[in-house]
Amino acid sequence: MTNDCKNISVKIRQLVSYALAEGLIEEQDVNYSVNSLMGILGVTEYEEPQGDVPEEPLESILGALCDYAYENGLIENNSVVYRDLFDTKLMGALTPRPSEVIKNFSSLYDISPEAATDYFYHLCRSSDYIRTYRVSKDLKWTYDGAFGELDITVNLSKPERDPKAIAAAKLLPQSGYPKCLLCPSNEGYYGNAAKPARQTLRLIPVTLSGRKWFLQYSPYVYYNEHCIVLSEEHTPMKIHRDTFYRLLDFVEQFPHYFVGSNADLPIVGGSILSHDHMQGGHYTFAMAKAPIEAHVSFEGFEDIEAGLVAWPMSVIRLRGTDKIQLVSLADKILGAWREYTDEQAFVFAETDGEPHNTVTPIARMVEDKFELDLVLRNNITTEEHPLGVYHPHADVHHIKKENIGLIEVMGLAVLPARLRDEIALMCQYIAEGKDFAENADIEKHKAWFESIKSKYSFTPENTEDILKKEIGAVFQRVLEDAGVYKRTDEGKAAFLRFIDFVNNK
């Protein structure tokens, strides 16, 4: 047997041993798994390695197998897109069938909801659906601001598509299958240059408000156990009465998780509005920790505790044990907000027939009570703010230009990958006393840096921490910009006018 054959046998055995150790397969599955991997790799000979097979990180094992595949013509281009397609096919051969995953999840749910999600989250990490070695490269820090500890992350785990893959995708026949990245039909999908492989994706069916939905995890996990809850049907995002019922249904079934929905209008909504879905997880954001700063009451709903939250955005918090009452009050508030106009506060329900008002709702269980936050949103634009009045303004676009979606609303900034290199460059230029204007990549940060530099004495040891702190301050400003009612006496009075409007409906 050649050395190449021995080497590939070792890598196959290492991957099978990894799957066995992580519980992806059982001992009885070993021969089957070896043969499945041999078929994918086009290998006709296999020799069981003698002695102890050295352990290697999963990333290293898959990297070596992708190298082999490229060298033997199994991958047409040695780029991250094609390597991801291939190593997902390998891991798909080792990932339990959907029916087995659902059966295991259901059995564990009978013990506790947390035991079930622990199993499922571990499966999604060990199957490499969540590429933990990429997620670990994300930059993360916190900012201790006026509204608590905000989370900041520079997302590096989502790979950028290379030009060759983009060009290849354009040449592919147009396909409407799967219809979008959130459709249940993605489970097991082989993928191509235009659509990611999903052989390792697994879905757990859940019944919410009498309809079939599915639970899965985000492959990019911006926070602990970041999950996605998606509709069985490919229907557009729409916030309505059933949305609130589904949110409360979900946290009732999984009380250790929160869940929320992006708003259903452009600018203030998420990146995918074509498929109804929610996001949740096992994490407590700064907004959830923020207290009620002004209690309010709603006529006919006296058993529900309600108040305005001490948060930069405009949040009404509802708390109670009666799910139907909570849903009814949330629906009443939404209906009132959809039609509410207050020119003095620059709140317009619609202009030229285009609706502007909606909400971002978030639910959780707190001390055996339902807690439902309704964040008031408005997507109106003006000449001064063409991307949105209640959207990051132009003076912060050098840090954050993207929509303020559910995750940001709760207090986690998901910042673009470019900032990793830009922070390093700024540190270098500050240490060398050079002008940011000399570099096209960081010139956009010049005015911002000039506005903060007099506050600090910069050293090579503290410069990065100072920049990260000030980026956190920018994110807090972004949240304040996104708030419909400003945190001033006039803003609070305007917020209370809306509460009166709800009560008078």
Side-chain angles (χ1 to χ4, degrees):
M1 180 172 284
T2 66
N3 285 334
D4 281 349
C5 189
K6 288 181 179 179
N7 290 338
I8 200 64
S9 293
V10 168
K11 293 303 171 189
I12 290 173
R13 182 65 220 196
Q14 284 178 324
L15 189 55
V16 170
S17 296
Y18 166 86
L20 194 59
E22 293 296 324
L24 294 174
I25 62 172
E26 302 290 339
E27 189 67 47
Q28 300 94 322
D29 302 319
V30 168
N31 287 339
Y32 179 91
S33 299
V34 167
N35 288 324
S36 296
L37 295 176
M38 288 176 63
I40 295 169
L41 290 160
V43 175
T44 57
E45 296 290 336
Y46 175 80
E47 181 179 291
E48 183 67 25
Q50 300 301 306
D52 293 333
V53 176
E55 290 187 11
E56 284 189 28
L58 179 61
E59 182 182 17
S60 176
I61 300 170
L62 292 176
L65 291 173
C66 284
D67 289 342
Y68 174 88
Y70 178 65
E71 291 163 5
N72 288 271
L74 302 175
I75 298 177
E76 62 183 273
N77 186 282
N78 198 28
S79 68
V80 66
V81 170
Y82 291 96
R83 290 172 73 92
D84 280 3
L85 290 171
F86 190 79
D87 67 21
T88 303
K89 185 186 296 186
L90 293 172
M91 292 306 299
L94 302 172
T95 303
R97 291 287 183 99
S99 58
E100 182 181 344
V101 174
I102 293 168
K103 182 180 179 180
N104 289 340
F105 185 94
S106 298
S107 296
L108 289 166
Y109 187 89
D110 290 340
I111 298 172
S112 77
E114 195 161 356
T117 55
D118 283 350
Y119 155 76
F120 190 37
Y121 189 58
H122 173 77
L123 174 80
C124 294
R125 287 161 60 91
S126 59
S127 70
D128 210 36
Y129 178 71
I130 298 171
R131 296 175 184 263
T132 55
Y133 44 86
R134 287 185 184 165
V135 173
S136 66
K137 295 175 184 177
D138 289 351
L139 296 184
K140 296 183 178 182
W141 68 94
T142 58
Y143 171 70
D144 191 10
F147 304 96
E149 194 171 73
L150 302 180
D151 294 299
I152 316 293
T153 180
V154 176
N155 174 38
L156 304 172
S157 55
K158 184 182 291 188
E160 295 184 14
R161 295 174 63 203
D162 61 278
K164 289 185 178 179
I166 293 171
K170 290 181 179 178
L171 298 176
L172 291 172
Q174 291 298 308
S175 170
Y177 180 86
K179 289 182 179 178
C180 77
L181 292 174
L182 293 179
C183 282
S185 53
N186 280 281
E187 189 174 33
Y189 184 65
Y190 58 87
N192 55 44
K195 296 179 180 179
R198 288 290 184 255
Q199 287 104 323
T200 53
L201 169 64
R202 294 296 179 264
L203 303 171
I204 301 296
V206 291
T207 301
L208 303 176
S209 187
R211 288 185 169 273
K212 190 173 184 180
W213 283 56
F214 292 95
L215 168 68
Q216 68 170 74
Y217 287 104
S218 165
Y220 309 116
V221 285
Y222 294 137
Y223 49 85
N224 187 46
E225 297 180 44
H226 178 183
C227 68
I228 300 171
V229 189
L230 53 98
S231 170
E232 179 182 34
E233 302 171 1
H234 181 75
T235 54
M237 293 284 293
K238 184 65 178 175
I239 306 295
H240 48 67
R241 182 185 180 90
D242 267 1
T243 304
F244 305 130
Y245 205 101
R246 285 195 293 263
L247 292 167
L248 299 180
D249 252 7
F250 183 85
V251 296
E252 188 172 35
Q253 293 176 51
F254 301 95
H256 57 300
Y257 275 13
F258 80 89
V259 70
S261 174
N262 266 304
D264 54 357
L265 293 178
I267 296 177
V268 295
S271 57
I272 299 179
L273 294 176
S274 61
H275 194 115
D276 205 358
H277 68 286
M278 307 179 290
Q279 295 182 75
H282 199 179
Y283 192 72
T284 303
F285 289 92
M287 192 181 82
K289 300 174 186 176
I292 289 176
E293 62 180 352
H295 282 84
V296 297
S297 61
F298 293 96
E299 295 177 13
F301 299 93
E302 286 76 13
D303 290 339
I304 295 177
E305 181 186 358
L308 313 184
V309 180
W311 191 244
M313 298 183 71
S314 307
V315 186
I316 300 171
R317 178 165 293 164
L318 309 177
R319 188 182 293 141
T321 57
D322 189 323
K323 186 193 301 184
I324 301 300
Q325 281 281 89
L326 280 165
V327 169
S328 295
L329 177 53
D331 188 45
K332 181 176 181 179
I333 293 170
L334 173 63
W337 182 242
R338 294 269 196 206
E339 65 181 58
Y340 185 68
T341 291
D342 182 350
E343 294 187 16
Q344 184 181 343
F346 205 78
V347 173
F348 295 88
E350 59 88 21
T351 55
D352 300 323
E354 179 186 352
H356 296 306
N357 290 348
T358 186
V359 300
T360 299
I362 301 123
R364 61 188 77 87
M365 296 296 295
V366 179
E367 297 177 350
D368 296 324
K369 289 185 178 181
F370 295 107
E371 191 169 271
L372 182 61
D373 286 348
L374 303 178
V375 187
L376 304 184
R377 312 300 302 275
N378 181 288
N379 74 348
I380 194 169
T381 61
T382 62
E383 288 187 8
E384 182 183 2
H385 300 295
L387 297 181
V389 173
Y390 306 109
H391 178 86
H393 292 170
D395 62 334
V396 298
H397 285 178
H398 64 106
I399 299 293
K400 174 74 173 175
K401 187 177 182 180
E402 298 78 16
N403 291 357
I404 301 304
L406 169 68
I407 294 172
E408 287 86 2
V409 163
M410 295 185 293
L412 191 160
V414 181
L415 301 179
R418 61 175 172 82
L419 278 173
R420 177 191 60 179
D421 295 336
E422 291 172 8
I423 289 171
L425 264 177
M426 286 190 281
C427 288
Q428 177 187 330
Y429 271 56
I430 292 167
E432 296 174 1
K434 295 168 69 174
D435 189 339
F436 286 10
E438 296 174 14
N439 190 303
D441 289 334
I442 59 173
E443 182 180 13
K444 56 181 167 290
H445 299 297
K446 178 179 170 64
W448 169 67
F449 176 66
E450 293 295 330
S451 72
I452 65 171
K453 69 177 184 180
S454 63
K455 294 161 55 178
Y456 303 99
S457 295
F458 290 92
T459 68
E461 292 75 28
N462 71 12
T463 297
E464 183 175 337
D465 287 339
I466 290 171
L467 293 178
K468 287 181 175 179
K469 175 184 175 182
E470 290 295 334
I471 288 171
V474 168
F475 177 54
Q476 181 172 287
R477 282 178 51 208
V478 164
L479 292 178
E480 291 171 331
D481 287 344
V484 174
Y485 295 117
K486 304 311 172 190
R487 294 188 57 77
T488 61
D489 290 342
E490 294 81 3
K492 291 176 183 177
F495 203 163
L496 291 173
R497 285 200 299 273
F498 171 65
I499 301 298
D500 289 340
F501 179 81
V502 176
N503 274 321
N504 289 328
K505 277 190 66 66

